[in-house]
Amino acid sequence: METKFYDPLETRDPAEREAVLMAALPQIIAAAKDRSPAYRRLLAAVHPEDIVDRRSLAELPLTRKSALIELQRQDPPFGGFVTAPMSSLRRIFVSPGPIYEPEGRRPDYWRFARALFAAGFRAGDLVHNTFSYHLTPAGAMVDSAADSLGCPVIPAGTGQTEQQLRTIADLRPVGYVGTPSFLKVLFDRAASEGSDISLAAQGAGRGGSATGGTACRIPQPGVECVAVLRHRRYRRHLL
């Protein structure tokens, strides 16, 4: 039966959800300290059993993305945050810095399928994915999420505008995933060439040189844009 919810977790009573999340905190923090040299150092003064609510969680020391560059340089390749052996990983991405980001061998590792589902994608929908597949993780994040939902993917990446327009016109994907700025590039080129690239249903956008709100304001017949903000991917260094 069709449902607008990804799984039962989304329909829990707020109090139940809060209780489950807070009850898990001490175990998660204890595991991080036990397995990860970096967290053992960063959380040295933290007693896991004391972290039981949002106030105590907010008092934990932060590791900012900008700090990962030096941490990884001092303790290569992952700064002591990752305890899984290199051979167990599926991919290693490289973000500017450089910052090396591991992906484990689990379905929908980045938990992005929930966001695609919220944007309206369902099993069997053809997804035109224009996030980059080159070194950085966004393209693979969407790709693995779509696969988890049962959606075939056109791994378009960025660039090759004319070929992308032809592909969209020929294959008629149900939705676009990528930056609003590149979506506008496609629309503008299609308008100048008189091409019809109206998508069948929806689009999910983030970041780039424009915001999701900007994408939703691009007037294009037949396209419903849904802004989906991607959650931070740095919360799961511990594999």
Side-chain angles (χ1 to χ4, degrees):
M1 183 176 66
E2 178 65 24
T3 174
K4 63 180 180 179
F5 299 106
Y6 179 69
D7 60 22
L9 294 178
E10 296 186 346
T11 59
R12 286 182 296 179
D13 179 82
E16 177 190 358
R17 180 175 60 247
E18 185 77 0
V20 171
L21 291 174
M22 296 305 107
L25 279 175
Q27 291 86 356
I28 293 172
I29 294 169
K33 292 187 66 172
D34 180 59
R35 301 174 188 175
S36 163
Y39 280 123
R40 191 176 306 125
R41 181 181 67 255
L42 293 167
L43 304 177
V46 174
H47 300 287
E49 64 275 11
D50 295 337
I51 312 303
V52 294
D53 54 29
R54 292 180 181 270
R55 176 173 294 182
S56 55
L57 177 63
E59 294 175 353
L60 292 179
L62 296 177
T63 302
R64 301 194 179 279
K65 180 180 178 180
S66 57
L68 290 176
I69 301 171
E70 181 61 22
L71 289 171
Q72 291 188 351
R73 188 191 67 80
Q74 294 176 358
D75 187 5
F78 303 119
F81 288 96
V82 178
T83 60
M86 187 78 74
S87 59
S88 70
L89 303 178
R90 176 182 287 124
R91 300 183 181 98
I92 298 175
F93 300 104
V94 186
S95 290
I99 295 174
Y100 300 107
E101 302 171 87
E103 176 182 295
R105 294 183 180 275
R106 290 196 291 271
D108 188 29
Y109 176 80
W110 303 101
R111 299 181 183 177
F112 197 52
R114 187 183 298 276
L116 288 186
F117 191 91
F121 291 98
R122 298 295 184 268
D125 290 346
L126 179 60
V127 178
H128 191 80
N129 180 19
T130 67
F131 278 127
S132 175
Y133 280 79
H134 179 66
L135 290 180
T136 54
M141 290 171 68
V142 172
D143 202 289
S144 61
D147 180 69
S148 178
L149 290 179
C151 297
V153 176
I154 301 170
T158 56
Q160 298 179 293
T161 304
E162 292 185 4
Q163 187 172 354
Q164 294 217 31
L165 292 178
R166 177 61 185 270
T167 300
I168 293 172
D170 287 348
L171 299 183
R172 295 293 178 184
V174 166
Y176 163 97
V177 180
T179 63
S181 55
F182 188 62
L183 179 61
K184 186 176 186 302
V185 168
L186 293 175
F187 281 149
D188 288 348
R189 178 66 69 85
S192 68
E193 297 180 357
S195 302
D196 177 15
I197 61 164
S198 57
L199 306 178
Q202 64 277 323
R206 175 196 180 272
S209 59
T211 65
T214 301
C216 292
R217 290 194 294 270
I218 299 174
Q220 293 294 328
V223 179
E224 176 190 357
C225 287
V226 180
V228 178
L229 298 179
R230 192 177 69 201
H231 55 279
R232 294 185 181 276
R233 60 179 178 269
Y234 302 106
R235 83 259 178 273
R236 220 208 293 199
H237 287 292
L238 192 66
L239 300 179

